[in-house]
Amino acid sequence: MPLLNGGTVVAAPGDGVDEVTLRELVREHRLTAMWLTAGLFRVLAQETPDCFAGLQEVWTGGDVVPAAAVRRVLTACPGLRVVDGYGPTETTTFATSHPMADVVPDRIPIGRPLAGMRARVLDRSLRPVPPGVPGELYLAGAGLARGYRGRPGLTADRFVADPAGPAGRRM
């Protein structure tokens, strides 16, 4: 995203990231945003929640993000926004997001679809289910992969026709 919006990408050193390295990267490169796995975010939030100071936004995901970890970081870094991103392998990194700056629910939801994405909960017949009724989450839109390379059978099974999209679109 930074490259598509005139920004710069700074990759962390290959020997790992700890709170000292994170602070140095933020200071040296004047970082405004960062993406971390949920596991690393959780560890840093537990050990040194103020290590995110200076950033405007932290994106995290790839696993459950504990509400207590987000609260700890937001308390230590006023003005910071933490965004939980959700997206299975079949999307380009994230398909939905849930930003938090003040209110952190006890169970962080997967949020709303990103621009160009659609998220729907459907039944077995691919019809929308009412709120509160169990169903399957389907994602569609610009961030959806084209399929599994070299695996047309699996692609046909997992990337089904989108009944709400134009002909040929999959979800």
Side-chain angles (χ1 to χ4, degrees):
M1 286 307 288
L3 295 177
L4 297 175
N5 292 291
T8 302
V9 172
V10 176
D15 56 348
V17 175
D18 58 16
E19 70 276 359
V20 173
T21 303
L22 192 145
R23 289 179 202 270
E24 288 174 4
L25 288 170
V26 170
R27 186 182 66 253
E28 181 181 337
H29 298 283
R30 297 171 50 204
L31 301 179
T32 58
M34 179 175 290
W35 182 87
L36 301 167
T37 64
L40 181 55
F41 177 81
R42 185 174 44 251
V43 168
L44 291 170
Q46 181 65 40
E47 295 177 0
T48 54
D50 65 334
C51 71
F52 299 102
L55 293 169
Q56 295 171 12
E57 193 168 78
V58 173
W59 280 68
T60 186
D63 199 352
V64 174
V65 177
V70 175
R71 287 186 189 113
R72 200 173 296 115
V73 167
L74 292 178
T75 298
C77 302
L80 180 69
R81 183 166 97 150
V82 175
V83 181
D84 179 30
Y86 167 80
T89 303
E90 294 80 10
T91 62
T92 53
T93 310
F94 296 129
T96 67
S97 68
H98 182 76
M100 296 162 282
D102 299 315
V103 178
V104 179
D106 290 335
R107 292 181 61 192
I108 299 173
I110 65 169
R112 300 204 178 276
L114 298 176
M117 292 296 296
R118 293 182 313 282
R120 295 188 302 272
V121 180
L122 307 175
D123 66 16
R124 291 177 193 225
S125 299
L126 302 180
R127 292 182 306 235
V129 298
V133 174
E136 185 87 20
L137 176 64
Y138 286 86
L139 300 168
L144 188 67
R146 293 186 179 125
Y148 299 106
R149 186 176 182 159
R151 302 195 62 193
L154 185 58
T155 296
D157 182 55
R158 301 290 170 91
F159 290 81
V160 298
D162 184 352
R169 288 284 170 99
R170 300 224 174 250
M171 60 180 183

